[in-house]
Amino acid sequence: MTSRSFLPLVLAGAIAMGGVTLVAGPADAARPERTVPVRLLTINDLHGNLEPPSGSASRILDPKGPLVDADGKLTGIVGGKYSIAGGAAYLATHLKQHTGRNTMVVAAGDLIGASPLISAAYHDEPTLDVLGQMGLKASSAGNHEFDEGYTELQRLMKGGCHPVDGCSPAGEWEGTDFDFLGANVLKERNDRYALPPYFVKSVNGVKVGFIGLVTATTPTIVSSSGIQGLKFTEEVAAANKVSRLLARQGVKAQVVLVHEGDQVTPNQDPSACSVTPGNGSRIASGLDPQVDVVVSGHSHQAYVCKTTDPAGQPRYYTQGSSFGRVLTQIDFQVDKRTRDVVRSTVAAANHIVTRTVAEDRAVADSVALWKARSADIANKQVGRITAEIGITAAPSGELPLGNLIADSQLEATRTGGNAQIAFMNPGGVRAPLTHPGSPAGEGDGVVTYGEAFTVQPFNNLTQVITLTGAQLKTVLEQQFVGGPNNQAFTKILQPSSNFTYTYSRSAPWGSKVSAMKIDGVAVTDTQSIRVAVNNFLVGGGDAFAELKNGTDLWSGPLDIDAFVDYLGKHSPVAPPATDRITVVD
């Protein structure tokens, strides 16, 4: 591990409420002889995608990209709309092309977790190794950094072999060359920081401070067992405490790396600002005026926006898509006298990580080595498909692949668990199963274990609980915003094929769901129903709190094992219909 440039850490409850120094306004033009240029290159939500992502996960809107035909297939003609992007070796090349003397590479979380097998097979050590080669200096923690628990995240940062699986073929893990930051992640017993809250880097004698934040919703979207003893506090208040501390210690140039973001209007230029204001905008506009730039993540969107800070000054707010498909460049000048960012000099843009450049040889070699180490497992054929089984939602909210996974989990839990229906959370379906007929022209109809794992990389348990019909209706109501669990946006559970129901777009929360049927028979409020879901949902994940009230818990196979077994038994598998949910106005 290399040494880190940290100021002394302070207890969360002990940060004084000192005054702040406002940044220079647009009227204070930078004087070249007294300013220092700083360039940030930022990424977010890589999710261990060392190899170029495939299928729809590889495509991104690009005004300079190739044209597509009526079927969405790439024609290769320059001057159109989409590019095929991503891949660590290409990302490394793009980073080098945009790197200057005063450049820092930073990130906004979810660099690991929900990873393809090449990384997940060795607990994401491969991804962290490659990020070290790319020169990453700091990242906020994301919710997926906690997928294997807080203790495992500590091991990844500090070093040592996995306590169960031991060392990887590379030997004992030495730890990261950077830290995951979390100014709003505290230990419940004493309010001490569970992660470093900030990182400070000197650039030509001027210090730049980076404050890390993870979404405060983390407890609802990770398994509760891995974060016991931690609390995730409101983001703005946590960042502002650290901002004031840094300002008092002379660090006036400040950047917030926050793993929270907004949704966007579809089909927009990646450098456009087309966000629908949400938690990301709330944080970006609410942070202390001392904060100069906000780099976001979590929502897997690409945007470059300006918001207004509490002092009325403009402040850039950016995000760079996901899976290494976009690199965000942010440039600004720091006044050597005031040690602050000259706001009028800030500029930002998103660059597509195209595959039209040469791969970085060192990173490509590392990726090839880790791929070889996991090849025997990854390349095993587990089934076949007749066409791409995708993750584009139907109007009902159903994903073809989500429905297929629900079917696989029902089949895996009927014997032993006596499951009658099953549900899959849509956020757990991470990538499509591609086929020669897919828009990108990828895939061969064969599904390998590595491809199946990429779809479902969490190693969740399939579990079965008993709910009454009334409780089941409550669970389905909890899919929608407006309820007491503060669902951030609608999340439609993917149902097994033998369960159907109707929901109303216009009905008030609590009265949206009707006509529930199992195998065509109407569900009553009082009947007992055995419901198969994964352990993440059983713990109330994704704000489905009613699932925690289920009884008679039974645990079955891992979700990936259920999926692989289903593909093998039913090959070739056709894309299931998305007709299990009826939607009315």
Side-chain angles (χ1 to χ4, degrees), residues 553-564:
L553 177 68
W554 177 87
S555 293
L558 292 173
D559 54 5
I560 180 62
D561 293 339
F563 187 45
V564 165

Side-chain angles (χ1 to χ4, degrees), residues 173-482:
W173 175 242
E174 295 183 355
T176 55
D177 293 330
F178 63 93
D179 271 324
F180 289 101
L181 310 178
N184 64 326
V185 186
L186 307 178
K187 296 180 179 180
E188 287 182 337
R189 68 178 183 272
N190 56 17
D191 274 357
R192 290 180 181 271
Y193 287 115
L195 297 172
Y198 61 84
F199 171 80
V200 175
K201 177 72 173 178
S202 290
V203 181
N204 288 348
V206 176
K207 294 177 179 178
V208 181
F210 298 87
I211 302 168
L213 299 169
V214 62
T215 172
T217 67
T218 295
T220 71
I221 51 178
V222 302
S223 295
S224 58
S225 59
I227 57 171
Q228 288 182 358
L230 301 182
K231 63 181 180 180
F232 295 78
T233 64
E234 193 276 324
E235 303 93 345
V236 172
N240 286 350
K241 286 183 179 180
V242 178
S243 174
R244 288 188 286 268
L245 170 68
L246 291 176
R248 289 171 56 197
Q249 298 189 2
V251 182
K252 305 294 183 67
Q254 297 181 7
V255 177
V256 162
L257 309 172
V258 54
H259 191 71
E260 181 63 278
D262 289 334
Q263 298 299 316
V264 302
T265 303
N267 300 319
Q268 301 296 307
D269 186 313
S271 287
C273 181
S274 57
V275 301
T276 300
N279 276 334
S281 293
R282 171 185 62 81
I283 295 166
S285 61
L287 292 165
D288 194 291
Q290 188 67 70
V291 174
D292 301 293
V293 175
V294 180
V295 179
S296 68
H298 190 49
S299 58
H300 290 205
Q301 305 300 330
Y303 49 77
V304 175
C305 292
K306 276 186 179 180
T307 187
T308 302
D309 70 21
Q313 302 174 101
R315 178 158 61 198
Y316 269 97
Y317 163 48
T318 69
Q319 187 176 166
S321 186
S322 62
F323 306 151
R325 294 175 294 174
V326 169
L327 174 65
T328 305
Q329 176 181 327
I330 305 171
D331 291 294
F332 54 83
Q333 299 280 333
V334 179
D335 190 305
K336 291 186 287 187
R337 179 179 59 83
T338 66
R339 295 171 292 181
D340 216 337
V341 171
V342 182
R343 288 280 182 98
S344 60
T345 67
V346 182
N350 277 332
H351 303 299
I352 306 298
V353 179
T354 63
R355 301 179 194 172
T356 56
V357 299
E359 294 180 295
D360 180 271
R361 182 45 45 199
V363 170
D365 287 347
S366 291
V367 173
L369 179 59
W370 286 110
K371 183 177 181 179
R373 287 166 172 165
S374 61
D376 288 345
I377 302 171
N379 294 334
K380 180 182 177 181
Q381 180 176 332
V382 297
R384 299 184 69 88
I385 55 176
T386 63
E388 174 166 335
I389 306 179
I391 56 175
T392 300
S396 64
E398 297 170 74
L399 318 176
L401 193 49
N403 283 358
L404 182 66
I405 292 171
D407 291 342
S408 74
Q409 294 188 5
L410 177 60
E411 184 169 296
T413 55
R414 281 191 184 276
T415 300
N418 299 315
Q420 296 169 267
I421 59 174
F423 294 106
M424 176 62 187
N425 54 306
V429 187
R430 305 303 296 188
L433 289 177
T434 58
H435 188 273
S438 68
E442 299 169 337
D444 53 10
V446 171
V447 180
T448 64
Y449 184 87
E451 290 169 334
F453 190 92
T454 298
V455 169
Q456 232 181 303
F458 296 105
N459 278 320
N460 284 323
L461 280 173
T462 57
Q463 296 187 313
V464 184
I465 55 175
T466 297
L467 297 175
T468 66
Q471 287 177 309
L472 177 58
K473 182 179 185 301
T474 297
V475 169
L476 297 179
E477 292 285 344
Q478 288 175 343
Q479 297 175 123
F480 306 100
V481 297

Side-chain angles (χ1 to χ4, degrees), residues 68-73 75:
V68 294
D69 63 21
D71 295 324
K73 293 182 179 179
T75 66

